[in-house]
Amino acid sequence: MKQFFSLKERLFILLLVMILPFIAFSIYKALSINETLEKQAQAESLLLAKNVAHEIDDYITSTGEFLIPIANSKDVRTQNYPAVNAWFKKIIPSYPYYRSLTFIDLNGNIRASAVLDPGEANSVTTNVRNADFFKKAVVSNDVSVGDFMRYMPTGKPVINVTYPVFNYADKKVGFVSTSFDLRKIQGRLIQLNGSEHTVVGVVNKDGMVIARSKEYGKYSGRDLSQHAIVKAMAGKTEGVDKVTGPDEITRVYGFASTTKVPWFTRAGVDTRYIQDQVKGQLVNHFAVFIPLLLVAIAGWLWIGREVDKLHKKTEYMSLVDPLTDLWNYRKLYSRLDHEINRARRLQDKLSFAMIDIDHFKHFNDKNGHQQGDEALRAVAKVIVSAVRDVDFVFRYGGEEMSVILPDTDKASARVVAERICKEVEQASIPGAHEQPSGRLTVSIGLATYPYDSISKEGLIKTADSALYRAKSKGRNRVEAYGDDDLVWDDEHYLNSDTYLDDYDAGKEKDDKKDKDKNKGGDDQSRPFTMCV
């Protein structure tokens, strides 16, 4: 029989078959890394945009606070223009970010004025009735902010902030105004933007560029009202997007609105930078994989087995709380779901305990957080030793821990919980003498399936409610949900249509999991309670 492929060709095909999955995985890995990095960049950009928006609000607020006492001064309220003029010229040099300080009457006439640069004095107009900020100030009885404009003497970008002036008869006679130099905001943007791949900008509600950390002179005052970068923010106060900017560079952005002025702040990371990061990670990936691939040609089964062990170890560690060596919150949700399905299928009971260390903030305040961590570890060990081998202990978060007690009714769960309380109270834990009771204690709330809830979320909620009651009754005690309420009869619930429906649904779900397991899926074997 004639062979269609030579040995060399067959070896090449074998090599190709081995490489193709790697190529497919590399493409998937690149897309996954890119997505992760983009989401991370958007989150960081949104935080930066919020910080800039907060800074701008602070600038506007501080400018208003600067104007209020001026508007309420005696010479201003009595319209003693010569005195006001002299006063303004005296104080303006102390505020380098205010280009001018003026007193304007209701007809737009500048009655008193001082400019930061004396050389600009002759260039100041005498009437501003047609200016945007004047129109806003005339109808405002509080701090008012005008639109972006060019300061007439120098062409520098400014906004005018105003505050009304009332005479002693409470009649509005004008307002005081200062031209806020937007270079202060611009300088802040440059200071915040320490990387070449990030750009920070500010645009007003009409899409005009107020400030920009890159090429400011090129884009200052530019109208972007029809640009996608502005349209993406319409009707929103904050968010993230991915847009090609006016410089034709695509970035992932975070944006936020200011509260004192109708502006948006935007921060964006260049997608080319993200792609370079993806390439860098893929290069590292290839550098590690290619030698392994060559080894795999001679012994890929052995390599595959080792990689599989490493993967399982990594997955295992992702489910463990590193401080206490207990299972973490993520493992709790999956395990509780599995145990509820099992209890439903077997028409069995299942209890759940929420445990909280009493006065733990007091403990940390007295002993320090490092000693607090040691106390958490000690309490975790006590709980593990107090429960049964079939129980599961988790760190729920902070000073809260939890226990799943399979095949356990409420009375049996209370026995275990009382034992935990007693053994924690009797444990020798450094720093416990600083506690209000002179001992480190815990409060425990219990809930039982199916009486208190038939869902994992419900069990957690009801156990937490019982824990709250234990806290409110003096701490260092066990409370079970339903102790003060109607307790269901076992036979009534287990024979009810609701339970049988839940049982059928749970059995169908568990059968599917069993099939997946037989195909090499998730191992449902019960892990040890303590993770080391």
Side-chain angles (χ1 to χ4, degrees):
M1 183 176 178
K2 182 179 179 182
Q3 293 184 349
F4 290 95
F5 300 102
S6 65
L7 177 60
K8 182 178 180 181
E9 289 171 336
R10 280 181 284 167
L11 289 174
F12 177 77
I13 292 173
L14 178 62
L15 181 61
L16 185 62
V17 169
M18 297 179 68
I19 291 176
L20 282 177
F22 169 68
I23 294 175
F25 174 75
S26 298
I27 294 173
Y28 164 78
K29 191 72 174 177
L31 294 174
S32 176
I33 293 172
N34 187 77
E35 181 182 4
T36 300
L37 292 178
E38 283 193 358
K39 288 182 178 180
Q40 179 182 342
Q42 284 179 326
E44 293 173 353
S45 296
L46 177 58
L47 179 60
L48 180 55
K50 286 182 177 180
N51 288 339
V52 175
H54 182 70
E55 293 271 353
I56 292 174
D57 287 334
D58 283 348
Y59 293 156
I60 301 302
T61 299
S62 62
T63 301
E65 292 172 350
F66 165 71
L67 292 175
I68 290 172
I70 294 176
N72 291 327
S73 66
K74 178 180 178 181
D75 288 336
V76 172
R77 296 186 70 179
T78 59
Q79 303 168 67
N80 185 353
Y81 299 132
V84 173
N85 201 61
W87 184 34
F88 282 3
K89 290 180 179 179
K90 181 178 179 181
I91 64 176
I92 192 66
S94 301
Y95 299 91
Y97 286 103
Y98 299 142
R99 302 305 307 174
S100 65
L101 182 60
T102 56
F103 182 179
I104 304 170
D105 65 22
L106 296 180
N107 292 318
N109 297 312
I110 295 179
R111 295 296 189 173
S113 175
V115 294
L116 182 63
D117 187 350
E120 302 171 357
N122 295 329
S123 302
V124 177
T125 185
T126 58
N127 189 284
V128 293
R129 113 178 257 108
N130 294 324
D132 166 79
F133 78 89
F134 173 82
K135 297 174 182 177
K136 292 181 179 179
V138 166
V139 297
S140 174
N141 288 327
D142 203 344
V143 175
S144 174
V145 183
D147 288 341
F148 171 93
M149 62 179 291
R150 297 286 182 180
Y151 185 57
M152 294 181 182
T154 62
K156 292 183 174 66
V158 298
I159 57 170
N160 285 281
V161 183
T162 66
Y163 191 79
V165 175
F166 295 87
N167 61 21
Y168 284 105
D170 285 333
K171 179 182 179 182
K172 187 174 180 179
V173 294
F175 52 86
V176 287
S177 171
T178 183
S179 296
F180 179 81
D181 193 339
L182 290 178
R183 290 181 304 168
K184 183 173 185 179
I185 295 177
Q186 178 65 20
R188 179 60 179 163
L189 293 183
I190 295 174
Q191 180 182 347
L192 286 171
N193 180 26
S195 60
E196 295 182 357
H197 54 268
T198 303
V199 65
V200 185
V202 181
V203 296
N204 68 11
K205 64 177 181 179
D206 298 320
M208 181 178 291
V209 178
I210 303 296
R212 196 173 189 270
S213 60
K214 293 184 183 298
E215 299 181 288
Y216 175 61
K218 181 178 178 180
Y219 294 101
S220 173
R222 184 167 175 177
D223 182 8
L224 299 180
S225 57
Q226 300 304 312
H227 198 282
I229 207 167
V230 173
K231 293 180 179 179
M233 300 185 295
K236 302 175 183 177
T237 57
E238 65 177 58
V240 295
D241 54 41
K242 183 178 179 180
V243 182
T244 300
D247 54 4
E248 302 302 323
I249 296 176
T250 302
R251 297 183 176 88
V252 288
Y253 285 97
F255 63 85
S257 63
T258 60
T259 59
K260 302 299 181 181
V261 285
W263 294 353
F264 279 99
T265 59
R266 294 181 62 85
V269 178
D270 193 337
T271 54
R272 295 174 300 183
Y273 168 75
I274 296 176
Q275 290 164 5
D276 288 341
Q277 285 188 305
V278 173
K279 292 176 183 177
Q281 293 195 29
L282 287 177
V283 167
N284 293 335
H285 174 67
F286 274 102
V288 172
F289 185 82
I290 289 177
L292 294 178
L293 182 62
L294 295 175
V295 174
I297 294 174
W300 60 274
L301 284 175
W302 178 78
I303 294 294
R305 186 170 60 251
E306 293 300 315
V307 171
D308 185 61
K309 288 181 180 179
L310 179 61
H311 173 74
K312 288 182 179 179
K313 181 179 179 181
T314 303
E315 184 178 27
Y316 168 80
M317 293 181 66
S318 72
L319 300 174
V320 174
D321 173 53
L323 177 63
T324 61
D325 283 341
L326 300 178
W327 294 120
N328 62 19
Y329 185 85
R330 176 185 170 195
K331 179 66 175 179
L332 165 64
Y333 257 58
S334 64
R335 191 74 235 179
L336 187 55
D337 195 34
H338 174 75
E339 293 298 332
I340 287 176
N341 288 333
R342 177 177 174 273
R344 180 186 293 115
R345 187 174 65 250
L346 300 177
Q347 297 191 27
D348 206 347
K349 302 177 187 66
L350 167 72
S351 290
F352 179 74
M354 286 289 289
I355 306 170
D356 186 84
I357 301 177
D358 298 326
H359 300 295
F360 193 65
K361 182 179 183 301
H362 177 84
F363 186 94
N364 277 333
D365 292 342
K366 288 292 185 180
N367 300 284
H369 288 280
Q370 184 174 357
Q371 191 65 45
D373 289 345
E374 294 297 329
L376 280 172
R377 279 190 281 265
V379 170
K381 290 180 180 179
V382 172
I383 294 173
V384 169
S385 66
V387 301
R388 307 164 304 177
D389 290 341
V390 296
D391 299 329
F392 302 87
V393 184
F394 306 83
R395 185 180 180 191
Y396 190 79
E399 67 269 23
E400 286 189 313
M401 302 177 196
S402 58
V403 182
I404 296 176
L405 301 107
D407 192 21
T408 306
D409 59 18
K410 192 163 293 188
S412 300
R414 181 180 288 276
V415 172
V416 177
E418 293 285 2
R419 184 164 64 242
I420 292 172
C421 271
K422 181 179 179 181
E423 293 190 11
V424 170
E425 184 179 13
Q426 294 176 350
S428 178
I429 299 176
H433 66 281
E434 297 283 359
Q435 292 294 84
S437 63
R439 299 160 298 176
L440 194 66
T441 61
V442 296
S443 298
I444 303 178
L446 296 175
T448 300
Y449 171 92
Y451 310 118
D452 302 325
S453 179
I454 60 172
S455 70
K456 62 183 177 185
E457 293 83 2
L459 272 183
I460 293 173
K461 183 177 180 180
T462 50
D464 196 54
S465 177
L467 172 61
Y468 178 81
R469 185 163 58 192
K471 289 282 190 180
S472 66
K473 286 188 175 183
R475 298 181 170 85
N476 191 22
R477 61 188 295 125
V478 177
E479 288 289 330
Y481 187 82
D483 278 354
D484 298 336
D485 305 314
L486 176 66
V487 179
W488 284 29
D489 177 69
D490 289 12
E491 183 178 356
H492 166 75
Y493 186 82
L494 295 179
N495 291 330
S496 67
D497 292 338
T498 301
Y499 186 87
L500 292 175
D501 289 342
D502 292 339
Y503 167 77
D504 291 336
K507 185 176 185 303
E508 181 179 350
K509 184 175 180 181
D510 285 347
D511 288 344
K512 183 177 183 304
K513 286 187 177 180
D514 290 339
K515 289 180 180 179
D516 292 340
K517 177 181 176 183
N518 293 333
K519 293 179 181 179
D522 183 30
D523 183 7
Q524 296 293 334
S525 60
R526 188 184 305 277
F528 290 110
T529 301
M530 190 64 175
C531 310
V532 294

